Amino acid sequence: MADGIDQLPVVRTITCSHPSHAGYEKDFSEFWTGAPDSKLTNRGDTKKWNGGFRGRPALADALWPELRNYLIGRKPSIFNNAITALRAFWRFLDGYERYGMEPISQLSDISTSLSILWLNPIDEMWSAHSRQAHEIIGVLVRNARKREKMQSAWAWHPYPRAESTESKELPTEGQIRTAMHLLKQSAYGIYARWKRADAMAAEGKNLLTVSRSRQGERNQKGQLKRAFDFELTEADAHATYRAFIASSGNPLPSMADLFVALGLNGKDYPPWWPTYSQDHPQAGQVVR
């Protein structure tokens, strides 16, 4: 279960301001105190319930003003959507931590890579969730970060679009298992790359804010061989890419988009663009 349910009283109720639903209110205190593994109806029967979760008071405090703003003038159905989304996210965070990952306690712990991993359950440690839940949590976290004036590069990975198909053929159980295995491996790889890149980005320079040389030796394409008066590193590439995510609002910009923002031809990597460091499987190749 949701370990450590806080017994201290917490009152976090939002009253509906929609004119047709005067008097309706919803209690959100469970996100501070935690929720039990099972719930009972007024008759003592077990409710349909997807399981408990632990309280995260610091994170709940950070999202609370945005939740209240989000629900202004909304109908009770939207209140229910919001509480369902938050429960799904809180359960995901519990599963993520049980998997051995670092604890998620506050707003700054919600990384871009976390939003990717929520979309790719690993070893059934957490459940799939709806597009609606994903988008609601993205709105709350994004607005809370704006309110707190967080400067680090960040984006909420979008929920994948449904692929339409005209084929009537259904996959076999073996094909489904193979696809799930590949998806899990892909999620592992994506998360590992983003976590490594996030750590390096914190140490790198944002090249979008550094003056670049316009003079010097050029290659046959007319590109400068060196554009800065310091040696570029992989960390600089990651820092620049994440800064561009934050400034453009695009969670997955292409490298061509980034190069255009740097005032370059978007088609080609410049000769001075940094390469992966020696601890990377693609050491020596340009950072992509």
Side-chain angles (χ1 to χ4, degrees):
M1 150 169 119
D3 59 331
I5 294 182
D6 191 347
Q7 298 303 311
L8 294 175
V10 174
V11 179
R12 292 292 186 274
T13 301
I14 300 178
T15 301
C16 180
S17 59
H18 191 282
S20 300
H21 299 277
Y24 178 87
E25 61 180 22
K26 198 77 172 179
D27 181 9
F28 291 86
S29 61
E30 63 194 63
F31 302 109
W32 281 259
T33 62
D37 279 341
S38 61
K39 286 191 172 185
L40 301 178
T41 66
N42 293 333
R43 297 183 302 175
D45 301 324
T46 301
K47 275 187 175 181
K48 183 179 179 182
W49 178 246
N50 291 328
F53 45 84
R54 77 175 183 87
R56 299 175 188 273
L59 179 58
D61 279 339
L63 299 183
W64 180 239
E66 307 313 322
L67 179 63
R68 287 184 298 177
N69 289 339
Y70 179 77
L71 293 176
I72 291 174
R74 302 293 187 103
K75 294 182 178 180
S77 59
I78 308 302
F79 279 63
N80 290 330
N81 293 343
I83 203 166
T84 297
L86 287 163
R87 284 170 176 168
F89 190 55
W90 255 237
R91 290 181 181 119
F92 156 64
L93 295 179
D94 280 4
Y96 171 86
E97 292 174 350
R98 283 196 301 271
Y99 201 75
M101 304 297 188
E102 63 273 15
I104 304 297
S105 302
Q106 54 195 0
L107 183 63
S108 59
D109 296 331
I110 308 298
S111 63
T112 300
S113 53
L114 196 71
S115 69
I116 295 174
L117 207 59
W118 192 20
L119 293 167
N120 295 276
I122 297 175
D123 294 342
E124 300 182 355
M125 290 299 292
W126 54 88
S127 302
H129 61 287
S130 68
R131 175 187 299 276
Q132 183 179 71
H134 196 79
E135 291 176 350
I136 288 174
I137 297 301
V139 167
L140 297 180
V141 175
R142 185 181 299 110
N143 290 342
R145 285 179 59 89
K146 287 181 180 178
R147 188 191 72 248
E148 296 296 328
K149 295 182 172 58
M150 291 186 173
Q151 299 299 316
S152 58
W154 180 90
W156 187 253
H157 197 283
Y159 198 88
R161 294 180 179 178
E163 294 284 344
S164 61
T165 176
E166 297 179 1
S167 173
K168 302 294 184 181
E169 297 181 6
L170 297 175
T172 64
E173 183 177 350
Q175 289 172 327
I176 292 173
R177 288 185 176 181
T178 299
M180 289 300 296
H181 174 74
L182 292 174
L183 180 59
K184 289 175 184 177
Q185 294 304 310
S186 174
Y188 278 122
I190 289 172
Y191 180 71
R193 289 196 300 273
W194 272 90
K195 187 174 182 179
R196 177 182 179 277
D198 282 344
M200 296 188 76
E203 305 297 327
K205 301 179 183 68
N206 172 14
L207 302 179
L208 291 165
T209 62
V210 180
S211 297
R212 195 170 72 251
S213 172
R214 307 292 177 177
Q215 303 294 326
E217 187 180 356
R218 296 178 180 268
N219 63 13
Q220 292 181 342
K221 294 182 178 180
Q223 298 172 307
L224 282 171
K225 292 185 177 181
R226 186 180 179 89
F228 298 91
D229 59 2
F230 55 89
E231 198 68 30
L232 298 185
T233 67
E234 181 186 349
D236 298 332
H238 293 311
T240 304
Y241 185 74
R242 279 152 180 71
F244 182 57
I245 288 174
S247 62
S248 67
N250 181 353
L252 288 174
S254 67
M255 294 304 293
D257 294 333
L258 175 59
F259 291 150
V260 169
L262 283 165
L264 305 170
N265 181 332
K267 296 180 180 179
D268 301 316
Y269 282 76
W272 46 262
W273 190 249
T275 58
Y276 288 111
S277 56
Q278 292 303 311
D279 64 337
H280 193 281
Q282 294 177 298
Q285 298 184 35
V286 292
V287 179
R288 299 178 181 275

